[in-house]
Amino acid sequence: MTTLRNGPIPTEPAEMIDLWTRLARHRADEPVVFNESIQAWEAFRHGDVTRILSDPATFSSDMSALVPSDPDIDKIAKGNLISIDPPVHRQMRGLVSKAFTPKFVAELAPRITEVTAELLDGLAGRDRFDLVSELSYPLPVIVISEMIGIPSSDRETFQRWADVLLNNEPPADEPLLDALGDQVNAIAPTVREMGAYMLEHVKRRREHPTEDLVTALVNTQVDGRWLDDDEIVWFTALLLLAGHITTTALLGNTLLCLDAAPRVVEELRADRELVPGMLEEVLRMRPPFTKLARLTTRDVELSGTTIPAGQIVFAWLASANRDESVFAHPEVFDPRRESSKQAGFGHGIHFCLGAPLARLEAKIAVNMLLDRYSDIRVAPEDGIDFFDVHALLGAKSVSVRVRPS
């Protein structure tokens, strides 16, 4: 069970407790293994995980050849930064990197503060609410929607898309390649709906340009050619999903961690300079995504084990972040910990593009919660709905009780 400064998180589901136990066992005894059930490899130690994510030439992100062909799914690959290798990845990432630099993101602070205040103002007089539906989901969705240029009022639709696409893990006892067909069939209707929605927006921006990101992409060339509609559609659609789910998970996980560590909350109230470090510690202990998949392009050795070419490898971020050889007493939640090596936002060329934005949104939200409430406690009796822990470490809903300051 996850141990914090003041004790374990009482709301951990059994499957999450089992996951932490399994990851610790593998780090100690079997750092690289072939999982017979899913017919894929897994790496658990920090050094191996960061090596996998730092070497795209050996560990490719492009697994499109393994996915059963579908006319709608095939289009995603054209704008999916997550599954594109260099040199195209560098070109595509460069298109939006300026929108996520620390300087540009810092300029969003007044708007993020305004949105956070508006959301919390709407909760005035209530002593209990669902943190996810009232704050940690709408806050990042409103911000990223405004950046892209789509109506944030459609956020219930965006959440439905995210639920389908991010909570669609293959069975743990079925070969991964056999399950891919079922996965494609399960997400195809949502993919078509997303594509049609975003395409209409791209067409509007071609006719009526504004100052948003879609307009910028419509008017951008890569190596002398204009981006086509599919590239822009899926570039922005996946940015929408990735641009909100990290903050949503981070804020929910923060409340769960702090609920089990009241002494840390006291420290934060006394010294707000600890908030950024505390958020890094949350990312270390509960990274939004538990693992990332790669495909080997050649035979490669990890921790004395040779993995053949053409094999799927899962790099376990959740395990790397608790590697005892890198983080002393990794089960202790310490906001003063040196966490620069934590991989909560990934590592290497695919490091989360929206990390500065997620950090800023979470920092502003946590500080405002501490300002407005003298006490914030998770209400486990209302139940906490988690995502599949093998895909996403985060809560779909978490009820909290509050006492105004």
Side-chain angles (χ1 to χ4, degrees), residues 120 126-129 131 255 258-266 269 272 366-379 399-405:
L120 292 180
R126 294 172 57 179
D127 61 3
R128 183 183 299 228
F129 56 84
L131 179 83
L255 262 292
L258 293 180
D259 186 70
R263 291 183 187 174
V264 174
V265 178
E266 293 174 6
R269 291 189 184 279
R272 296 299 181 86
V366 167
N367 274 301
M368 199 170 295
L369 286 168
L370 292 173
D371 287 340
R372 294 205 176 197
Y373 301 113
S374 61
D375 189 45
I376 310 171
R377 302 292 297 178
V378 173
S399 179
V400 294
R401 293 188 301 269
V402 298
R403 183 185 304 129
S405 298

Side-chain angles (χ1 to χ4, degrees), residues 28-108:
D29 302 325
E30 297 179 294
V32 178
V33 298
F34 182 72
N35 188 320
E36 294 283 351
S37 296
I38 62 173
Q39 293 289 294
W41 294 81
E42 298 177 294
F44 301 93
R45 288 180 180 167
H46 188 278
D48 290 331
V49 168
T50 53
R51 180 186 170 191
I52 290 168
L53 302 181
S54 300
D55 185 2
T58 302
F59 300 94
S60 171
S61 297
D62 184 2
M63 289 185 244
S64 56
L66 304 180
V67 180
S69 182
D70 177 277
D72 295 295
I73 302 295
D74 293 346
K75 293 178 182 179
I76 297 179
K78 300 186 68 174
N80 187 357
L81 266 181
I82 298 171
S83 63
I84 295 176
D85 288 329
V88 178
H89 176 272
R90 174 181 49 78
Q91 298 164 346
M92 295 292 287
R93 188 176 176 109
L95 293 178
V96 292
S97 60
K98 293 180 181 179
F100 291 94
T101 62
K103 180 180 182 298
F104 182 88
V105 169
E107 294 173 352
L108 294 174

Side-chain angles (χ1 to χ4, degrees), residues 278-298:
M278 179 275 297
L279 292 172
E280 295 304 301
E281 184 71 340
V282 174
L283 287 166
R284 183 189 69 80
M285 294 199 76
R286 300 173 78 94
F289 293 95
T290 54
K291 63 185 185 297
L292 300 174
R294 297 292 186 265
L295 184 68
T296 55
T297 61
R298 63 176 178 83

